[in-house]
Amino acid sequence: QVHLVDSGGGSVQAGGSLRLSCGVSGYTVWPSISAWFRQVPGKEREGVAAIGRDGRAKYADSVKGRFTISKDGAPVTLYLQMNSLKPEDTAMYFCAANTVGLYTAEWLGASNYDTWSQGTQVTVSS
């Protein structure tokens, strides 16, 4: 059974940086696609960045140029480097993985992912 455990959230002032990590256990090869999402209370979960097995990445317009998604295979870990953080980046962040191998071209769509982490809170103050 695949299990995702994320970490690295915290509180930071605007303009600061954080790096989120997501450990993937129970899966010996990299998921077809994996991603970071975020959610604030009362709003839908938003796709932030996604990465394919070959390293191709896609980003939401709101984070392009500021966030970088990456992965490491030993151990299997997903990262999200967040720079130039803004108060509107405040949210609970989740990592997600597609382990079944079927997905649409919309990598930032939540329906593409079957396994989720518990979430880590990011708070950016002005």
Side-chain angles (χ1 to χ4, degrees):
Q1 181 177 0
V2 178
H3 190 54
L4 305 180
V5 178
D6 51 27
S7 62
S11 297
V12 65
Q13 288 190 329
S17 298
L18 284 173
R19 189 192 196 203
L20 305 183
S21 299
C22 177
V24 182
S25 62
Y27 207 61
T28 56
V29 296
W30 195 261
S32 301
I33 53 173
S34 52
W36 288 96
F37 286 75
R38 63 188 181 188
Q39 189 170 24
V40 297
K43 293 189 176 182
E44 290 188 359
R45 195 164 292 190
E46 174 193 20
V48 174
I51 189 167
R53 188 173 289 166
D54 61 359
R56 284 187 300 147
K58 297 186 180 184
Y59 296 92
D61 289 342
S62 59
V63 305
K64 280 181 181 177
R66 300 189 298 122
F67 290 12
T68 302
I69 189 171
S70 62
K71 59 185 180 68
D72 193 339
V76 181
T77 308
L78 182 69
Y79 301 100
L80 184 68
Q81 178 67 43
M82 304 185 294
N83 298 327
S84 301
L85 282 161
K86 304 175 181 180
E88 51 264 43
D89 295 318
T90 295
M92 184 72 77
Y93 283 72
F94 302 87
C95 60
N98 175 298
T99 67
V100 299
L102 297 176
Y103 52 93
T104 70
E106 182 47 62
W107 287 10
L108 297 179
S111 61
N112 272 325
Y113 301 91
D114 54 274
T115 304
W116 296 82
S117 68
Q118 80 284 358
T120 184
Q121 178 67 37
V122 171
T123 302
V124 184
S125 59
S126 58

